[in-house]
Amino acid sequence: MADTLSALRSLMASHSPPLDALVVPSEDYHQSEYVSARDKRREFVSGFTGSAGLALVTKNEARLWTDGRYFLQAAQELSDQWQLMRMGEDPAVDIWMADNLPRDSAIGIDPWCVSIDTAQKWELAFSKKHHKLVQTSTNLVDEVWKNQPPAEINPVIVHPLEYAGRSVADKLKDLRERLIQENARGIIISALDEVAWLYNIRGSDVSYSPVVHAFAIVTSNSAFFYVDKRKVSSEVNTYLEENGIEVRDYKSVSSDVALLASNQLKPSFKGTEITGNGTNKAEDKNDNLIWADPGSCCYALYSKLNPEKVILQQSPLALAKALKNPIELEGLKKAHIRDGAAVVQYLVWLDKQAQEIYGASGFFSEGEGTDKKKHSKTAKLTEVTASDKLEGFRASKENFRGLSFPTISSVGPNAAIIHYSPQAETCAEFDPDSIYLFDSGAQYLDGTTDITRTVHFGKPSAHEKACYTAVLKGHIALGNARFPNGTNGHALDILARVPLWKSGLDYRHGTGHGIGSYLNVHEGPHLISFRPHARNVPLQASMTVTDEPGYYEDGNFGIRLENVLIINEADTKFNFGDKGYLQFEHITWAPYQRKLIDLSLLAPEELEWLNTYHSKCRDILAPYVDESEKAWLRKATEPISA
């Protein structure tokens, strides 16, 4: 790490102009949350492995900014050469640079890895101190990363209509109508899941996310797909051409954006002609606007455009993708049933292991701790061997294509690390006298899943039960909410926190995110969160969203409960303001652990909800498990009386 920093500082000093600071963000050229191995530059430089963060290297300092999910993890992973900056508590990176770097400092960025939004925000903050943002012509980290993984060549796959639910022609027609409305003649699409969704293609360029490293440009009469052509088979090429999409080399997006800016970007083949409906109205009116999403389009491409002729607003595909069509919704429901069966099979197996290897009282019984004499000296269970078993249960299910994120399999104190990722060499051994939290999900052809359950195979303390019950109460309160159209996730976030707040407890992460249809496990543009940007997009019918409150006690334990919900129209007695009302439908199925619940803290209606949910769980999952698993499921979902 020391060698890396000194090599970077040497490059910074010899750069023209010399750089006073270098920003190393987490993102790739598409501003992705999850990136491929070769794009993990921030991880390489800092040693911090979390998915979110930003490294700053100055002449004599190295600082890393990350959010509340990762405070504990970053503190453990960073060497003493690095200083941890806690987002929300310490000054933001742009403010810190403006306040701490000498006047007239040059701050280096790779413009491909920084969004338009971020670059413009920084430029504004820097102007007060005459700092300047310097776009480096190469990525300096790549120059010092001697064993940087190569770019993978993985095939582009067509996502069949039976799962996608809408044709490419339909999606392009809707997009072009939006371009006309905004007086735009073209749009640059950078977000990998938007490219995949629009063209009904998938890939495996990023672990856990079935996407392809690609850009798209769509104009009123043409569509382009920028990708390493070695990934495109002749069959896929034919499919794209039949849909009026021209395949071009990944690197040519830069020169093509310049051509787009000067209205010289033309298809080289006669694709599907776009006629009728006044589709060419935008060109007829000589409207020269180009649409670029400031959050996902990189500064390098924006620099090719005339800033006065750019529409800087969220891509219309973000919302279109979030509003699931009926086939996607049906697929998600089916995927979650198979996934729930895998989780139940895992819990049955885990219960048996806890009892057989460790002499634990098990999932149902509240014995006085483990029978140490019964502890097997030969067999043992770790966070990793347990999560591997869970992956095995999922892998046996129809349409399974891999995990949707690295499984969080965490025992005791590790469960307090919100995005803990166990490693085989360092992970903890299973401990039935401690809480065990597992947050996991899978990619199936018909949907993406994400579920969290927290369990205890020994005797939980009264405090652990009270905390678990507060989290459960918040989980139920949010899931049962009814709210008028136009309500955003910022307004609902409090529902999941109030039961925790009553005891002076809270959690540092958002409460819900959208989820893809065989796409990214975290999907916007909506979310349920205390963060201000949760106000930007109202929740709408046919969106998916998670419901995942938690509580984390550093050094002791962590609790989280998570289901995926679909937003539906609600049939209310009245309809104040003629707005129409919405409600949630749970599509995740797995029992909550009875012995972690302090029933004295549950209201009658909460108990009724729990019993109803468990009854559905039993009926829905029974056909997917064997007789012994069915017996366990029956016991886990027995009606609870106060």
Side-chain angles (χ1 to χ4, degrees), residues 39 59 119 136 148 187 245 267 277 318 365 380 481 512 529 553 578 596 619 624 633:
D39 289 319
K59 289 175 179 175
T136 61
Q148 185 177 21
I187 180 168
I245 301 159
N277 278 349
S365 166
K380 80 169 192 173
S529 177
E553 208 161 273
D578 280 336
L596 266 172
D619 296 345
Y624 295 85
L633 178 61

Coordinates of all heavy atoms in Angstrom, one line a residue, residues 39 59 119 136 148 187 245 267 277 318 365 380 481 512 529 553 578 596 619 624 633:
D39 N -12.0 -2.7 -12.5 CA -12.4 -1.3 -12.2 C -12.3 -1.0 -10.7 O -12.7 0.1 -10.3 CB -13.8 -1.1 -12.7 CG -13.8 -1.0 -14.3 OD1 -12.9 -0.4 -14.8 OD2 -14.7 -1.5 -14.9
K59 N -0.4 15.3 -1.5 CA 1.0 15.1 -1.4 C 1.5 14.4 -0.1 O 2.5 13.7 -0.1 CB 1.7 16.5 -1.5 CG 1.6 17.1 -2.9 CD 2.2 18.5 -2.9 CE 2.1 19.1 -4.3 NZ 2.5 20.5 -4.3
A119 N -18.7 16.3 -11.0 CA -17.7 17.2 -11.5 C -18.2 18.7 -11.4 O -17.4 19.6 -10.9 CB -17.4 16.9 -12.9
T136 N -7.3 14.1 -16.2 CA -6.0 13.4 -16.6 C -6.4 12.6 -17.9 O -7.5 12.1 -18.1 CB -5.6 12.4 -15.5 OG1 -6.6 11.4 -15.3 CG2 -5.2 13.1 -14.2
Q148 N -3.2 -5.5 -12.6 CA -4.6 -5.2 -12.8 C -5.3 -6.3 -13.6 O -4.7 -6.7 -14.7 CB -4.7 -3.8 -13.5 CG -6.2 -3.3 -13.7 CD -6.2 -2.0 -14.3 OE1 -5.3 -1.5 -15.0 NE2 -7.3 -1.2 -14.1
I187 N -30.1 10.9 -27.2 CA -29.8 10.7 -25.8 C -28.6 9.7 -25.6 O -28.5 8.8 -26.4 CB -31.0 10.1 -25.0 CG1 -30.7 9.8 -23.5 CG2 -31.5 8.8 -25.7 CD1 -31.9 9.5 -22.7
I245 N -30.7 -1.6 -34.4 CA -29.6 -1.2 -33.5 C -28.3 -1.5 -34.2 O -28.0 -2.7 -34.5 CB -29.7 -1.9 -32.1 CG1 -31.0 -1.6 -31.4 CG2 -28.5 -1.5 -31.2 CD1 -31.4 -2.7 -30.4
P267 N -26.2 6.4 -38.9 CA -26.0 4.9 -39.0 C -25.4 4.5 -40.3 O -25.6 5.1 -41.3 CB -27.5 4.3 -38.9 CG -28.4 5.5 -39.3 CD -27.7 6.7 -39.0
N277 N -46.2 8.9 -36.9 CA -46.4 9.5 -35.6 C -45.6 10.8 -35.4 O -45.2 11.1 -34.3 CB -45.9 8.5 -34.5 CG -47.0 7.5 -34.2 OD1 -48.2 7.8 -34.6 ND2 -46.7 6.5 -33.4
A318 N -34.8 5.3 -16.4 CA -34.7 4.9 -15.0 C -36.1 4.6 -14.4 O -36.3 3.5 -13.8 CB -34.0 6.0 -14.1
S365 N -36.4 -24.3 20.3 CA -36.3 -24.4 21.7 C -35.4 -23.3 22.3 O -34.4 -22.9 21.6 CB -35.8 -25.8 22.0 OG -35.4 -25.8 23.4
K380 N -17.0 -28.5 11.9 CA -17.3 -27.1 12.3 C -17.9 -26.4 11.2 O -17.8 -26.7 10.0 CB -16.0 -26.4 12.9 CG -15.1 -25.9 11.8 CD -14.1 -25.0 12.6 CE -13.3 -24.2 11.5 NZ -12.4 -23.2 12.2
A481 N -48.3 0.0 5.3 CA -48.6 1.4 5.0 C -49.6 1.5 3.8 O -49.5 0.8 2.8 CB -47.4 2.2 4.8
G512 N -35.3 1.1 2.1 CA -35.7 0.3 1.0 C -35.1 0.8 -0.3 O -34.9 2.0 -0.5
S529 N -35.9 6.2 2.3 CA -34.7 6.6 3.0 C -34.9 7.9 3.7 O -35.7 8.7 3.3 CB -33.5 6.7 2.0 OG -32.3 7.1 2.7
E553 N -25.4 -3.2 17.0 CA -24.7 -2.8 18.2 C -23.2 -3.2 18.0 O -22.9 -4.4 18.1 CB -25.3 -3.5 19.4 CG -25.2 -2.8 20.7 CD -26.2 -3.3 21.7 OE1 -27.3 -2.8 21.8 OE2 -25.8 -4.2 22.5
D578 N -59.1 12.9 -4.6 CA -59.1 12.1 -5.9 C -57.7 11.7 -6.3 O -57.4 11.6 -7.5 CB -59.7 12.9 -7.0 CG -61.2 12.9 -7.0 OD1 -61.7 11.9 -6.4 OD2 -61.9 13.8 -7.5
L596 N -37.2 -15.2 18.9 CA -36.6 -13.9 19.0 C -37.6 -12.7 19.2 O -37.2 -11.6 19.4 CB -35.7 -13.6 17.8 CG -34.3 -14.0 17.8 CD1 -33.6 -13.8 16.4 CD2 -33.5 -13.1 18.9
D619 N -48.3 -22.2 3.1 CA -49.1 -22.7 1.9 C -48.3 -22.5 0.6 O -48.3 -23.4 -0.3 CB -50.4 -21.9 1.8 CG -51.4 -22.2 3.0 OD1 -51.1 -23.1 3.7 OD2 -52.3 -21.4 3.2
Y624 N -42.7 -26.8 -2.6 CA -41.3 -26.7 -3.1 C -40.3 -27.4 -2.1 O -39.1 -27.3 -2.4 CB -40.9 -25.3 -3.3 CG -41.8 -24.6 -4.4 CD1 -43.0 -24.1 -4.1 CD2 -41.3 -24.6 -5.7 CE1 -43.8 -23.5 -5.1 CE2 -42.1 -24.0 -6.7 CZ -43.3 -23.5 -6.4 OH -44.1 -22.9 -7.4
L633 N -41.2 -26.4 8.4 CA -41.9 -25.2 8.0 C -43.3 -25.0 8.8 O -43.6 -23.9 9.2 CB -42.2 -25.2 6.5 CG -42.9 -24.1 5.9 CD1 -42.2 -22.7 6.1 CD2 -43.1 -24.3 4.4

